[in-house]
Structures are given as structure tokens and as C-alpha cells.
Amino acid sequence: MDPDLSALDAYLDERDADGYLIDADSEDSDQYYLSGFDAPDPFVTLYDGDTHLLFPRSLEYGRATREARAETVERYVDFDHAELVDEFGPEEAVSHVLARFCDSHGVESVAVPPRFPLKTADGLRARGVEVTADTDGVVTEIRATKTDEEVEHVRAAQRANEASMAAAEELLRDATVAEGGTLEYEGEALTSERVKEEIEVTLLRHGCSLDETIVACGSDAADPHDRGSGPLSADEPIIVDIFPQDKATKYHADMTRTFCVGDPSETVREWYDLTERAMAAAFDALRPGATGQDVHDAVCDVYEGAGMETLRSDDHAETGFIHSTGHGVGLDVHELPRLSPAGGELEPGHVVTIEPGLYDPAVGGVRIEDIAVVTEDGYENLTEYEKRLVV
């Protein structure tokens, strides 16, 4: 994938900077996006219209020359690192290497990301390189608009996501209800941990992984970010929120379903129907030129019209709709744009979640989430998994 970096070129021109510099490993999504290279240890990417990589050691050099999306790939040793260590010591030598690296590409001033290492910045400044912070996060903003190829990466991750959701739902469907109302599977208590294990194994079989997921039952589900733990119960809402990353492409997906084994309360049924209506309203508002705030407001309108609290109606609310409507998804599971009161204008290529929900410890929680891409004339829902409360 060759990203369109014209917005980065314009940013550098506006700020009269010669280049853009990132010092991070590829877990930093801006680093991975700009360099096109996956490495576990920190390295330097310099963009000056072309992309240049600098590695501390030769370990990744050969692979980078083959795989990276870069015009040049260099190492500390190419800038006399050993001699600089003898002259200045190992710490100061690094700043001399970085300054020489910039100088070799005619770069005297650089913009850097908001979380750029302070030590690296100070070292460069001491060697005469001007360093200014990119407080806008321009590369992060560029990443928000996906190419067709990136959308397909998200779609592929979502297919894996749906396979894992089906595995979770099958466990719940096949569970029996023990005395006291807890769920059992094959003679043992069915726990949040057991369902998460099934989700993770299924994802691995589909080339994806995740650090954690949410399987939260009853009062646990009343906290939107409670991961859930312990035995699951019948007649209670169970929120299953899965957000895997494709191991090959590094792109994420995100989806939530709320299930109930047995007979949900009338309140839970009402909440589920209301949340489906809120989701439909959000999708009705999702289009290029609309703002993330517009989409969020559409959800709040539905909930508030039914007498539910939202953070829009009461910014101290602890029950009701107590989070934003959605977020961007790509190399990060949470990235731009925002579907929230702070959400800006939506553009074709924005991949976003729509995830309304209601929460109260006395009831539990209900959340439904799909993932979609904004298109030239509306949106395409990338989610194929059906919605049902009772399994």
C-alpha cells in the first residue's frame, strides 16, 4: 500500500519544515504507516518527500531493504557510530548520528509527532537541528481516510471477528442452566474466561489476535469497559465486544453483540429495541459531509426521546448512554474520526463504529456495534453478523 502523503507535504510546507521525523517501534501506528515496515524495536523514519529509515543495528537492515516502503535504509554504523562513541560516549553519540542522518538528506528542521521522545528532540537540538512538535497529529489524521486496500483489510478482519462471535454465541446457545441460574457447558460453569478463550482460539485460526476482549454479564456489563469475569448467568444480558487485529495486515475490526440465555427482563428487551432504533438513526445520519457530532446527536435524540439519560442531557450521568457513539478503526482499534460531540466532518474512506448502548448496574448493559465505511454517497456496513438478543 502506497499512502497518499500529499497532506503531509502540505503540512511541512506550511510550517517551513524540511522533514517529518518519527522515533518509535512499529507498534506506533504512525511509524508503521509512514515507514511501511514492521519491527519490534525503535527505529527512525524521516520523511522529506521521500522516506528514509535509520536503524541502530544491522539486525533489521536486510529485511528492511527488502520489505520497507523506503527510498533509503541506513544504519548507525553508516554514520561512524563507533568512532562517535569513542569520542562522545554512547548516549551523546546517538544524537550525533541522528544529526548526521538528517544532514545527509539536507534536512535542517523537522516536525515530530506529539509524543516524540524528549531525549531524541533535545539531542537533535543540541546538534543544530530545529525540532517542532506536530500538535495536530497530521499522520494520524491522514490515516483516518482509508484506501480501498485498507478497507479490504478491515473487512477481512471483520470476517474473522464474525467467526469468533459465532463461536461465542454457540457456546452460549449450547449452555444449560444450573440450579441458581448460572450457565453450564459440558458439566462445568460457563465463565467469561471460557468464552474469551473460545473467541481467541477462533481468531488465531483466522489469522487474527487480540490482547483482550469483553464478555461481561449482569452488573459487569453496566460498565462499558469492564472486561467481565466469572460465571455467566441465565436471564441476564451478556455483552460480547470483540476487537481483533489481523496479524498479517495489522488492521483491526470491532463488533459488539448483546445476548441473553433464557428470558431477559422487560427492561432489557425495551433497552435492546431502543438501542436498535438508536443504531438505525445513527446510520441514517452517516454520510460524507455530516459530522461525527451529527451522528452522535441522532443517537442521543432517540435515547432522550424515550426518557433515557445521556451525557448530552447530563454530563454527570452515570447511567443511560454514557459514552460516544463510535470511533475510527484501522491500524489502531480506536483512532480518528470521532462520532462524539467533538466529531468533525466525515469523509469517504472513514471507517467507523456505530455502537449505542445503555447501562445501569440495577439492569446490566445493552450495546450493539457494527463497523462501516463512509462512501461517496452514504456508507457501506462491513458487518454481516445478524442481531438477536435471545440465543
Side-chain angles (χ1 to χ4, degrees), residues 350-362:
H350 282 169
V351 174
V352 296
T353 65
I354 302 288
E355 48 181 307
L358 293 170
Y359 311 89
D360 186 330

PDB file of all heavy atoms in Angstrom, residues 350-362:
ATOM      1  N   HIS A 350     -13.540   7.055   5.581  1.00  0.00           N
ATOM      2  CA  HIS A 350     -13.540   6.942   7.043  1.00  0.00           C
ATOM      3  C   HIS A 350     -14.218   5.630   7.438  1.00  0.00           C
ATOM      4  O   HIS A 350     -15.352   5.362   7.030  1.00  0.00           O
ATOM      5  CB  HIS A 350     -14.279   8.109   7.680  1.00  0.00           C
ATOM      6  CG  HIS A 350     -13.484   9.371   7.733  1.00  0.00           C
ATOM      7  ND1 HIS A 350     -14.031  10.595   8.072  1.00  0.00           N
ATOM      8  CD2 HIS A 350     -12.164   9.609   7.508  1.00  0.00           C
ATOM      9  CE1 HIS A 350     -13.091  11.530   8.048  1.00  0.00           C
ATOM     10  NE2 HIS A 350     -11.950  10.948   7.697  1.00  0.00           N
ATOM     11  N   VAL A 351     -13.525   4.825   8.225  1.00  0.00           N
ATOM     12  CA  VAL A 351     -14.086   3.580   8.751  1.00  0.00           C
ATOM     13  C   VAL A 351     -14.415   3.819  10.216  1.00  0.00           C
ATOM     14  O   VAL A 351     -13.549   4.205  11.005  1.00  0.00           O
ATOM     15  CB  VAL A 351     -13.101   2.407   8.606  1.00  0.00           C
ATOM     16  CG1 VAL A 351     -13.639   1.161   9.300  1.00  0.00           C
ATOM     17  CG2 VAL A 351     -12.845   2.116   7.124  1.00  0.00           C
ATOM     18  N   VAL A 352     -15.691   3.609  10.576  1.00  0.00           N
ATOM     19  CA  VAL A 352     -16.145   3.972  11.921  1.00  0.00           C
ATOM     20  C   VAL A 352     -17.026   2.877  12.512  1.00  0.00           C
ATOM     21  O   VAL A 352     -17.641   2.085  11.787  1.00  0.00           O
ATOM     22  CB  VAL A 352     -16.951   5.291  11.905  1.00  0.00           C
ATOM     23  CG1 VAL A 352     -16.074   6.453  11.459  1.00  0.00           C
ATOM     24  CG2 VAL A 352     -18.187   5.184  11.015  1.00  0.00           C
ATOM     25  N   THR A 353     -17.085   2.868  13.837  1.00  0.00           N
ATOM     26  CA  THR A 353     -18.043   2.022  14.526  1.00  0.00           C
ATOM     27  C   THR A 353     -19.295   2.822  14.840  1.00  0.00           C
ATOM     28  O   THR A 353     -19.249   4.037  15.003  1.00  0.00           O
ATOM     29  CB  THR A 353     -17.476   1.485  15.850  1.00  0.00           C
ATOM     30  OG1 THR A 353     -17.248   2.584  16.759  1.00  0.00           O
ATOM     31  CG2 THR A 353     -16.174   0.734  15.625  1.00  0.00           C
ATOM     32  N   ILE A 354     -20.402   2.119  14.899  1.00  0.00           N
ATOM     33  CA  ILE A 354     -21.658   2.660  15.421  1.00  0.00           C
ATOM     34  C   ILE A 354     -22.020   1.761  16.599  1.00  0.00           C
ATOM     35  O   ILE A 354     -22.342   0.590  16.417  1.00  0.00           O
ATOM     36  CB  ILE A 354     -22.781   2.635  14.373  1.00  0.00           C
ATOM     37  CG1 ILE A 354     -22.378   3.428  13.119  1.00  0.00           C
ATOM     38  CG2 ILE A 354     -24.084   3.148  14.963  1.00  0.00           C
ATOM     39  CD1 ILE A 354     -22.334   4.920  13.302  1.00  0.00           C
ATOM     40  N   GLU A 355     -21.965   2.292  17.835  1.00  0.00           N
ATOM     41  CA  GLU A 355     -22.120   1.424  19.000  1.00  0.00           C
ATOM     42  C   GLU A 355     -22.901   2.078  20.139  1.00  0.00           C
ATOM     43  O   GLU A 355     -22.357   2.344  21.213  1.00  0.00           O
ATOM     44  CB  GLU A 355     -20.760   0.949  19.505  1.00  0.00           C
ATOM     45  CG  GLU A 355     -19.696   2.025  19.668  1.00  0.00           C
ATOM     46  CD  GLU A 355     -18.374   1.449  20.149  1.00  0.00           C
ATOM     47  OE1 GLU A 355     -18.359   0.743  21.179  1.00  0.00           O
ATOM     48  OE2 GLU A 355     -17.357   1.717  19.486  1.00  0.00           O
ATOM     49  N   PRO A 356     -24.191   2.325  19.918  1.00  0.00           N
ATOM     50  CA  PRO A 356     -25.005   2.844  21.012  1.00  0.00           C
ATOM     51  C   PRO A 356     -25.188   1.798  22.106  1.00  0.00           C
ATOM     52  O   PRO A 356     -25.098   0.590  21.859  1.00  0.00           O
ATOM     53  CB  PRO A 356     -26.334   3.171  20.317  1.00  0.00           C
ATOM     54  CG  PRO A 356     -26.389   2.225  19.164  1.00  0.00           C
ATOM     55  CD  PRO A 356     -24.978   2.074  18.689  1.00  0.00           C
ATOM     56  N   GLY A 357     -25.475   2.259  23.325  1.00  0.00           N
ATOM     57  CA  GLY A 357     -25.693   1.330  24.425  1.00  0.00           C
ATOM     58  C   GLY A 357     -26.306   2.013  25.626  1.00  0.00           C
ATOM     59  O   GLY A 357     -26.245   3.242  25.761  1.00  0.00           O
ATOM     60  N   LEU A 358     -26.881   1.217  26.502  1.00  0.00           N
ATOM     61  CA  LEU A 358     -27.490   1.696  27.734  1.00  0.00           C
ATOM     62  C   LEU A 358     -26.964   0.881  28.915  1.00  0.00           C
ATOM     63  O   LEU A 358     -26.775  -0.344  28.785  1.00  0.00           O
ATOM     64  CB  LEU A 358     -29.017   1.575  27.659  1.00  0.00           C
ATOM     65  CG  LEU A 358     -29.714   2.481  26.647  1.00  0.00           C
ATOM     66  CD1 LEU A 358     -31.182   2.077  26.501  1.00  0.00           C
ATOM     67  CD2 LEU A 358     -29.589   3.951  27.048  1.00  0.00           C
ATOM     68  N   TYR A 359     -26.795   1.543  30.063  1.00  0.00           N
ATOM     69  CA  TYR A 359     -26.125   0.912  31.193  1.00  0.00           C
ATOM     70  C   TYR A 359     -26.756   1.351  32.513  1.00  0.00           C
ATOM     71  O   TYR A 359     -27.055   2.538  32.706  1.00  0.00           O
ATOM     72  CB  TYR A 359     -24.632   1.277  31.197  1.00  0.00           C
ATOM     73  CG  TYR A 359     -23.981   1.068  29.854  1.00  0.00           C
ATOM     74  CD1 TYR A 359     -23.975   2.095  28.907  1.00  0.00           C
ATOM     75  CD2 TYR A 359     -23.427  -0.151  29.507  1.00  0.00           C
ATOM     76  CE1 TYR A 359     -23.412   1.902  27.657  1.00  0.00           C
ATOM     77  CE2 TYR A 359     -22.856  -0.355  28.256  1.00  0.00           C
ATOM     78  CZ  TYR A 359     -22.859   0.675  27.337  1.00  0.00           C
ATOM     79  OH  TYR A 359     -22.307   0.482  26.099  1.00  0.00           O
ATOM     80  N   ASP A 360     -26.903   0.390  33.418  1.00  0.00           N
ATOM     81  CA  ASP A 360     -27.368   0.667  34.773  1.00  0.00           C
ATOM     82  C   ASP A 360     -27.054  -0.580  35.597  1.00  0.00           C
ATOM     83  O   ASP A 360     -27.487  -1.688  35.224  1.00  0.00           O
ATOM     84  CB  ASP A 360     -28.872   0.944  34.787  1.00  0.00           C
ATOM     85  CG  ASP A 360     -29.378   1.391  36.154  1.00  0.00           C
ATOM     86  OD1 ASP A 360     -28.793   0.975  37.173  1.00  0.00           O
ATOM     87  OD2 ASP A 360     -30.375   2.127  36.197  1.00  0.00           O
ATOM     88  N   PRO A 361     -26.318  -0.454  36.702  1.00  0.00           N
ATOM     89  CA  PRO A 361     -25.982  -1.643  37.497  1.00  0.00           C
ATOM     90  C   PRO A 361     -27.198  -2.444  37.944  1.00  0.00           C
ATOM     91  O   PRO A 361     -27.102  -3.658  38.144  1.00  0.00           O
ATOM     92  CB  PRO A 361     -25.237  -1.051  38.699  1.00  0.00           C
ATOM     93  CG  PRO A 361     -24.664   0.228  38.196  1.00  0.00           C
ATOM     94  CD  PRO A 361     -25.673   0.760  37.228  1.00  0.00           C
ATOM     95  N   ALA A 362     -28.334  -1.787  38.077  1.00  0.00           N
ATOM     96  CA  ALA A 362     -29.536  -2.495  38.505  1.00  0.00           C
ATOM     97  C   ALA A 362     -30.116  -3.358  37.389  1.00  0.00           C
ATOM     98  O   ALA A 362     -30.923  -4.265  37.657  1.00  0.00           O
ATOM     99  CB  ALA A 362     -30.590  -1.491  38.982  1.00  0.00           C
TER     100      ALA A 362
END
